[in-house]
Amino acid sequence: MKGHLRGQEPPEIGFLAMSEVTKRILVTGGTGLVGRAIEKVVADGEGRPDEEWIFVSSRDADLTSSSETKALFERHKPTHVIHLAAMVGGLFKNIRSNLDFWRTNIHINDNVLHTAHESGVQKVVSCLSTCIFPDKTTYPIDETMIHNGPPHSSNFGYSYAKRMIDVQNRGYSEQHGRRFTAVIPTNVFGPHDNFNIEDGHVLPGLIHKVYLAKQSGSALTVWGTGKPRRQFIYSLDLARLFLWVLREYDEVEPIILSVGEEDEVSIREAAEAIAEAMEFRGELVFDTTKSDGQFKKTASNAKLRRYLPGFQFTPFRKAVKETCAWFNANYASARK
């Protein structure tokens, strides 16, 4: 199905009503980076005739409120949920506000999962992050290692709150037989990202910085040494994998959605790829007074490959080029 909704009431007549819709899929955080990517993939032909997609945002309900969460579910009556809504931010925002990240995300996640349970939702797929893994660990990390030790101190609030989704999923499965699971993407980027330099993630922040440096003719200043390494996944690739998880993946145990270990790149290499895509000819300067955060968090996608050995990821430089092109075309709104 190519039609898709954004939080409004379903039509009384028309294609949705006439087709045999058996899945009403509510996407929380539907206007964010991953939600927009899922919406595009569905609209571009990956949706199915028996699926109705409903994308909602914080404008539709405050998910920290149990009453507003229940009202949202009563209004849309979902059979399936993709839970993306969260308080998120980059390294420096996390360092400043660990308590806020913990409290806000705990409230959101508990309200969504418990309301889904009480409403009889058939399946929930929540979104975690590789930052939830222990700081002191062996590499590559895999799905069995989530709870093996404390996360990095820079974002412990967000990390522990996200870990609790896995705990709740197990509880709802064991106590109530619910099919609640979670995915763990590596660093996601793409169109509709948060390109805020202060509070965004590293790659969209660098894209914005390169744009400004090119405009002013100045050097590009990259925070940190440029040595930390990350696996980046393009949001449209992640969206396609989300559809597969929703439809086909039946384990309660989470699954890492990531490019392979061989596709890990350094922050320096990422900055150079962005500079090339933006045709920036200036100097790259590394501000080593800024924190690097975690040096690496290499994740194994072996479990994903067992299920989908032939899945083709968009090459990193191609995905960077497409993201930069989108940012350039949408600068007025993207920069905010």
Side-chain angles (χ1 to χ4, degrees):
M1 181 192 73
K2 292 190 178 183
H4 53 283
L5 303 174
R6 183 176 291 289
Q8 71 267 37
E9 294 293 338
E12 295 301 321
I13 57 174
F15 178 74
L16 288 177
M18 293 175 64
S19 65
E20 294 185 11
V21 172
T22 58
K23 292 180 182 176
R24 292 173 56 82
I25 305 159
L26 181 71
V27 182
T28 70
T31 58
L33 167 64
V34 180
R36 293 271 195 177
I38 293 173
E39 186 177 30
K40 177 172 173 51
V41 165
V42 168
D44 286 349
E46 299 271 347
R48 293 179 177 175
D50 65 339
E51 296 172 346
E52 179 182 347
W53 289 83
I54 304 158
F55 295 85
V56 296
S57 73
S58 57
R59 291 191 299 273
D60 298 288
D62 175 5
L63 297 179
T64 65
S65 162
S66 60
S67 61
E68 288 198 32
T69 306
K70 288 176 183 177
L72 180 74
F73 276 67
E74 287 169 3
R75 185 158 67 247
H76 294 296
K77 297 179 172 53
T79 61
H80 296 68
V81 172
I82 292 179
H83 175 38
L84 306 174
M87 178 184 177
V88 298
L91 171 65
F92 298 97
K93 186 176 179 181
N94 273 273
I95 290 172
R96 291 195 305 269
S97 308
N98 268 295
L99 178 61
D100 295 341
F101 276 91
W102 159 258
R103 297 192 70 241
T104 300
N105 286 305
I106 281 290
H107 285 307
I108 290 172
N109 297 335
D110 186 55
N111 286 335
V112 169
L113 292 177
H114 197 63
T115 304
H117 161 62
E118 289 186 324
S119 304
V121 168
Q122 296 172 30
K123 188 170 184 178
V124 178
V125 181
S126 297
C127 191
L128 309 185
S129 164
T130 51
C131 71
I132 70 175
F133 282 94
D135 180 33
K136 302 291 190 292
T137 187
T138 56
Y139 294 98
I141 49 181
D142 65 37
E143 293 84 354
T144 67
M145 300 162 70
I146 295 172
H147 303 286
N148 285 0
H152 193 270
S153 60
S154 64
N155 60 356
F156 69 86
Y158 177 83
S159 298
Y160 275 123
K162 283 291 189 178
R163 280 190 192 184
M164 290 305 103
I165 289 179
D166 179 53
V167 173
Q168 284 188 262
N169 286 345
R170 294 165 188 264
Y172 283 115
S173 174
E174 291 180 10
Q175 204 164 320
H176 300 290
R178 291 294 180 201
R179 294 168 63 219
F180 294 179
T181 190
V183 302
I184 310 172
T186 47
N187 295 57
V188 191
F189 72 98
H192 302 284
D193 209 336
N194 173 12
F195 292 89
N196 185 290
I197 291 173
E198 294 292 330
D199 293 335
H201 288 107
V202 58
L203 205 144
L206 283 171
I207 290 173
H208 196 168
K209 279 186 168 185
V210 171
Y211 181 95
L212 294 176
K214 185 179 178 183
Q215 295 296 311
S216 64
S218 59
L220 169 65
T221 301
V222 181
W223 290 345
T225 64
K227 294 179 181 178
R229 303 185 66 78
R230 297 289 183 266
Q231 287 156 292
F232 293 100
I233 181 170
Y234 193 31
S235 59
L236 296 175
D237 292 343
L238 179 59
R240 295 181 186 97
L241 290 171
F242 254 107
L243 297 192
W244 169 76
V245 171
L246 183 78
R247 295 164 178 164
E248 308 292 343
Y249 180 75
D250 284 327
E251 294 185 39
V252 175
E253 303 294 329
I255 184 167
I256 291 171
L257 303 181
S258 172
V259 298
E261 300 163 48
E262 68 280 2
D263 294 316
E264 192 174 54
V265 298
S266 71
I267 300 304
R268 175 186 284 274
E269 289 167 337
E272 290 170 348
I274 293 165
E276 179 183 313
M278 302 276 275
E279 298 182 345
F280 173 72
R281 310 294 183 209
E283 183 185 3
L284 268 65
V285 177
F286 293 88
D287 181 358
T288 57
T289 67
K290 298 287 189 181
S291 172
D292 272 336
Q294 215 167 342
F295 176 70
K296 64 182 290 184
K297 39 188 177 179
T298 313
S300 168
N301 70 350
K303 183 175 182 178
L304 174 64
R305 284 303 187 196
R306 285 197 295 274
Y307 278 104
L308 296 175
F311 185 84
Q312 296 290 314
F313 288 95
T314 305
F316 177 66
R317 287 183 177 268
K318 180 176 187 292
V320 165
K321 191 170 184 178
E322 290 180 8
T323 304
C324 291
W326 182 91
F327 180 76
N328 282 326
N330 296 274
Y331 180 73
S333 58
R335 66 189 174 87
K336 295 176 182 179

